[in-house]
Amino acid sequence: MEILLLGTAAAEGIPALYSNSRVSQHARKHGGREIRTRSGALIDGELKIDLPPDTLMQLQRESLDAQDWTALLFTHGDDDHFAANELQYCLHPFSQMEYLGFTIYGNDRICAKINKLYPGWPIDLVQINAFETFRHGAYTITPIEARHNMKEQCQNHIVEHGGKRLLYATDTGIWRDSTWEFLADFKLDLLVIECTEGLLPDEYEGHLSADEVLYVVDRLRNARILKPCARVVTTHHSHNGNATYEELKTFLEPHGIEAGFDGMRIEI
């Protein structure tokens, strides 16, 4: 499997839309990997994870075509992950398509909003629930419960194909005991995990700081959920975490963790 990190920023992006933070100013000056768009990913060119407001630009940047998707898999309904209004542009009269050529998977809140926005539209929509495995083509996908907010069941996703397994875990916080217990039966080849709060943690439990990432990764390694050769890559970074890409890289590398960046391709 290959996962392409199309975007690796939190909701505000880096540089943020309206900010003079140190990290935003640094990104404007230096560009490159310091520039982050709202988080989303693509597995094997066909399984799209989340639909942030930056999706069109990301596809243009990478010379990709959304018509290659077979699935759109949502983690939760926050605006930076679920730009629901963008879906209309996939269909007539905005395109020549008479039906949506990919299946949409999401929790009950996401399905309800899509049904409200697009009643009767030719969209294949499937509600998924935490801890209930399902199949999509050759892929086995298992949502697990994230600890992000109380308004909905936020999900991280385990994706398995060809004997390889990855866990995409953004907007997760430190998992509750039920999620840790469920994960004990899995062996992971790759973990993509949020590091929203960076080097400046706050009291919100729905996101991880860099120190909390170390805690989660160490616990996964000690429980042998992460295979010895498994890669760990971060995503969903906020400028409010007060860490540039290079600063995160310096902090994480001694712990065997890679700082993710927009356009990063990871093969397992």
Side-chain angles (χ1 to χ4, degrees):
M1 279 193 296
E2 179 193 76
I3 183 168
L4 168 60
L5 301 184
L6 289 167
T8 56
E12 319 88 57
I14 299 178
L17 177 64
Y18 193 71
S19 170
N20 63 354
S21 67
R22 183 185 70 88
V23 171
S24 290
Q25 293 185 63
H26 180 86
R28 291 187 187 104
K29 180 178 180 180
H30 294 278
R33 293 182 180 180
E34 301 292 350
I35 303 294
R36 298 185 184 275
T37 57
R38 268 70 71 91
S39 67
L42 185 64
I43 298 174
D44 293 338
E46 63 171 300
L47 301 186
K48 182 68 172 71
I49 303 179
D50 284 337
L51 190 73
D54 301 327
T55 298
L56 177 60
M57 180 273 291
Q58 293 166 346
L59 297 181
Q60 293 170 339
R61 184 193 68 208
E62 301 293 332
S63 299
L64 298 172
D65 187 347
Q67 293 179 83
D68 295 329
W69 302 350
T70 64
L72 173 56
L73 180 63
F74 283 109
T75 58
H76 64 301
D78 285 355
D79 289 344
D80 56 319
H81 297 261
F82 180 46
N85 289 327
E86 294 292 295
L87 289 171
Q88 66 184 302
Y89 304 122
C90 296
L91 294 170
H92 182 80
F94 299 102
S95 81
Q96 298 76 36
M97 302 302 164
E98 297 293 339
Y99 67 94
L100 200 60
F102 51 85
T103 302
I104 298 177
Y105 298 95
N107 63 27
D108 56 349
R109 181 184 178 193
I110 286 167
C111 290
K113 184 168 184 178
I114 291 175
N115 282 325
K116 182 178 180 179
L117 285 172
Y118 307 108
W121 285 45
I123 295 174
D124 183 20
L125 181 63
V126 179
Q127 181 177 325
I128 57 174
N129 303 300
F131 312 124
E132 295 180 8
T133 299
F134 65 95
R135 297 275 298 179
H136 175 83
Y139 296 86
T140 301
I141 303 172
T142 305
I144 62 173
E145 186 180 24
R147 187 179 185 177
H148 182 56
N149 66 45
M150 299 299 292
K151 297 179 181 178
E152 64 178 317
Q153 184 192 81
C154 300
Q155 298 173 354
N156 303 154
H157 296 107
I158 299 169
V159 180
E160 183 176 359
H161 176 61
K164 298 293 185 178
R165 213 181 255 138
L166 66 85
L167 170 56
Y168 186 85
T170 185
D171 291 64
T172 182
I174 297 176
W175 296 303
R176 297 179 180 87
D177 288 345
S178 56
T179 299
W180 282 106
E181 291 165 5
F182 185 82
L183 282 171
D185 293 329
F186 289 86
K187 303 297 180 187
L188 303 175
D189 299 282
L190 169 66
L191 170 66
V192 178
I193 187 167
E194 67 142 302
C195 189
T196 310
E197 296 172 4
L199 303 180
L200 192 64
D202 61 30
E203 296 180 355
Y204 178 53
E205 294 183 344
H207 282 307
L208 297 176
S209 67
D211 283 331
E212 288 171 327
V213 168
L214 299 187
Y215 166 80
V216 170
V217 171
D218 284 346
R219 187 167 171 179
L220 288 169
R221 285 172 173 163
N222 291 335
R224 299 185 180 180
I225 297 168
L226 280 173
K227 293 181 180 179
C229 59
R231 292 176 68 178
V232 180
V233 180
T234 61
T235 190
H236 204 273
H237 302 280
S238 172
H239 71 117
N240 289 317
N242 196 34
T244 67
Y245 167 77
E246 291 295 337
E247 290 166 349
L248 278 169
K249 181 180 176 182
T250 298
F251 179 87
L252 295 169
E253 275 189 344
H255 304 279
I257 301 172
E258 302 171 60
F261 54 87
D262 285 24
M264 185 179 191
R265 294 179 183 269
I266 310 158
E267 291 191 20
I268 56 172

